[in-house]
């Protein structure tokens, strides 16, 4: 249950497509807009940054799932019983933000050094925006969304991978459009950020046409499984995501914000 839960292989592919296109993280939630607007002037730069975001989000999504599962979730420290320590009642959910950001920052630093060594041109092109991936709200948001929805390991992996690919898709599309707009006759008052915001809104409206399609439906558990499986929802992470989005925490079993 920890690895696949009630998801089959087809549901995992559906989740990948859903996170990439149907619930595109940037165009549906408008998270990660700062680097999206700043680095979407050239397609080459956008592809380099998009690939970096995919790598960071996928790896840190896995690492933060492990942090949540074995450190910050309710009863996560029960594994310490193997060394004779009873820590099942210790609640470290208040450390979720700090630990998640620390994991993201550490991995971004490693990635930055790798890009500087093996691709100096891309490193110079990205400039300040590469280390700013650390505070990219899309990275932290996707990790928090995944743990709040209590995905097992492989659904979590496909979700964060799809979220990263969706962000890359959005910035690559915008970069291609802006390269075309650079040689087009745009009204002077709309040149630059003005026409970029308009095109982003139009792209978001186009992607909204997929809303309502659900491809990542897990198989329905049996009655015995439902009775045996405890409710492991973490109110700490629910409040964290609500704070990130600036909304009230969810009520009941509704997982949408």
């Amino acid at each position: 249950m920890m690895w696949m839960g009630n998801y089959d292989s087809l549901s995992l592919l559906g989740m990948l497509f859903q996170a990439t296109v149907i619930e595109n993280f940037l165009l549906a939630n408008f998270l990660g807009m700062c680097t999206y607007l700043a680095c979407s002037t050239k397609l080459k730069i956008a592809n380099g940054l998009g690939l970096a975001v995919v790598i960071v989000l996928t790896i840190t999504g896995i690492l933060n799932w492990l942090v949540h599962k074995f450190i910050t979730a309710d009863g996560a420290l029960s594994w310490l019983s193997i060394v004779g320590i009873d820590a099942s009642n210790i609640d470290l959910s208040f450390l979720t933000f700090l630990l998640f950001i620390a994991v993201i920052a550490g991995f971004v630093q490693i990635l930055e050094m790798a890009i500087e060594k093996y691709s100096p041109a891309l490193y110079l092109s990205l400039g300040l925006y590469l280390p700013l991936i650390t505070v990219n709200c899309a990275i932290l948001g996707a990790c928090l969304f995944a743990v709040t929805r209590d995905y097992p390991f492989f659904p979590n992996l496909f979700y964060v991978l799809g979220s990263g690919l969706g962000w890359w898709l959005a910035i690559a599309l915008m970069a291609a459009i802006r390269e075309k707009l650079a040689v087009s006759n745009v009204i002077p008052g709309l040149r630059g950020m003005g026409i970029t915001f308009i095109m982003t809104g139009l792209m978001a409206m186009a992607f909204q046409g997929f809303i309502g399609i659900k491809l990542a439906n897990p198989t329905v558990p049996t009655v015995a499984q439902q009775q045996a499986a405890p409710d492991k929802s973490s109110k700490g992470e629910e409040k964290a995501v609500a704070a990130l989005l600036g909304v009230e925490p969810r009520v009941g079993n509704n997982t949408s914000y």
Side-chain angles (χ1 to χ4, degrees):
M1 295 294 289
M2 183 178 72
W3 302 107
M4 286 291 291
N6 296 314
Y7 293 84
D8 55 23
S9 56
L10 187 60
S11 295
L12 293 180
L13 293 177
M15 177 171 288
L16 180 65
F17 183 81
Q18 185 167 314
T20 303
V21 179
I22 300 174
E23 298 176 358
N24 186 282
F25 212 74
L26 193 150
L27 298 175
N29 299 302
F30 292 101
L31 295 177
M33 290 292 293
C34 50
T35 47
Y36 163 80
L37 293 172
C39 297
S40 59
T41 54
K42 298 292 183 181
L43 186 57
K44 183 177 180 180
I45 298 176
N47 283 330
L49 183 61
L51 179 59
V53 167
V54 171
I55 295 172
V56 171
L57 185 49
T58 303
I59 302 301
T60 58
I62 295 172
L63 295 176
N64 283 331
W65 182 90
L66 294 172
V67 169
H68 169 73
K69 197 71 177 179
F70 296 105
I71 299 178
T72 62
D74 292 338
L77 296 176
S78 58
W79 57 271
L80 290 174
S81 60
I82 61 177
V83 293
I85 300 175
D86 183 14
S88 58
N89 294 324
I90 297 178
D91 182 12
L92 296 180
S93 60
F94 65 94
L95 293 175
T96 299
F97 260 40
L98 293 176
L99 293 177
F100 279 23
I101 293 175
V103 169
I104 295 169
F107 187 78
V108 169
Q109 185 64 38
I110 294 173
L111 182 66
E112 182 181 2
M113 292 187 294
I115 293 178
E116 183 179 13
K117 180 176 181 180
Y118 296 107
S119 183
L122 178 60
Y123 178 80
L124 294 175
S125 299
L126 294 177
L128 180 64
Y129 296 99
L130 181 58
L132 282 180
I133 293 178
T134 301
V135 292
N136 189 331
C137 51
I139 307 292
L140 180 61
C143 294
L144 289 172
F145 272 42
V147 299
T148 301
R149 297 173 182 180
D150 203 21
Y151 287 138
F153 179 82
F154 285 107
N156 173 83
L157 170 60
F158 278 79
Y159 176 77
V160 293
L161 174 61
S163 297
L165 291 173
W167 198 92
W168 186 3
L169 173 64
I171 193 174
L173 289 174
M174 179 50 65
I177 293 173
R178 291 182 72 175
E179 284 188 349
K180 178 65 176 177
L181 290 174
V183 295
S184 300
N185 187 18
V186 180
I187 299 174
L190 292 178
R191 291 174 184 171
M193 282 294 111
I195 193 65
T196 302
F197 275 110
I198 292 174
M199 296 308 302
T200 300
L202 293 175
M203 287 170 54
M205 291 174 62
F207 275 75
Q208 287 293 309
F210 296 107
I211 294 298
I213 302 175
K214 297 294 182 182
L215 300 178
N217 296 320
T219 55
V220 179
T222 64
V223 176
Q225 288 175 327
Q226 290 177 338
Q227 293 175 346
D231 180 12
K232 296 183 179 179
S233 61
S234 175
K235 289 183 171 53
E237 280 71 23
E238 292 168 10
K239 293 178 181 178
V241 176
L244 182 70
L245 298 178
V247 298
E248 293 296 325
R250 69 186 179 96
V251 178
N253 294 323
N254 183 14
T255 56
S256 62
Y257 287 84

